[in-house]
Amino acid sequence: MLALAIGVIITWRLADEKESRRKDRQAERDDDAELKAYNEMLAQAAENDRRMG
């Protein structure tokens, strides 16, 4: 049971690292478009909050 748990943890961690590298490469290619869109959404929400009260 312990060996299975360790195997799952290792597999999960390797998959997470692979996904992180993929997202880093994508951010380099598109000049962090996802982050810029997220920040714009937050700025719009803050502006809406400011207007409402």
Side-chain angles (χ1 to χ4, degrees):
M1 184 77 129
L2 181 60
L4 178 62
I6 291 171
V8 169
I9 291 170
I10 290 171
T11 301
W12 189 359
R13 186 169 179 183
L14 291 174
D16 187 48
E17 289 174 3
K18 183 178 178 181
E19 178 71 11
S20 293
R21 287 191 305 269
R22 187 190 65 76
K23 285 188 175 197
D24 287 346
R25 286 190 309 269
Q26 179 66 34
E28 287 176 11
R29 282 193 302 271
D30 66 13
D31 195 33
D32 269 342
E34 184 178 354
L35 179 60
K36 289 177 181 178
Y38 179 71
N39 286 336
E40 178 62 28
M41 187 238 356
L42 291 177
Q44 288 175 355
E47 180 64 22
N48 290 339
D49 287 347
R50 187 186 62 76
R51 287 182 187 166
M52 297 299 268

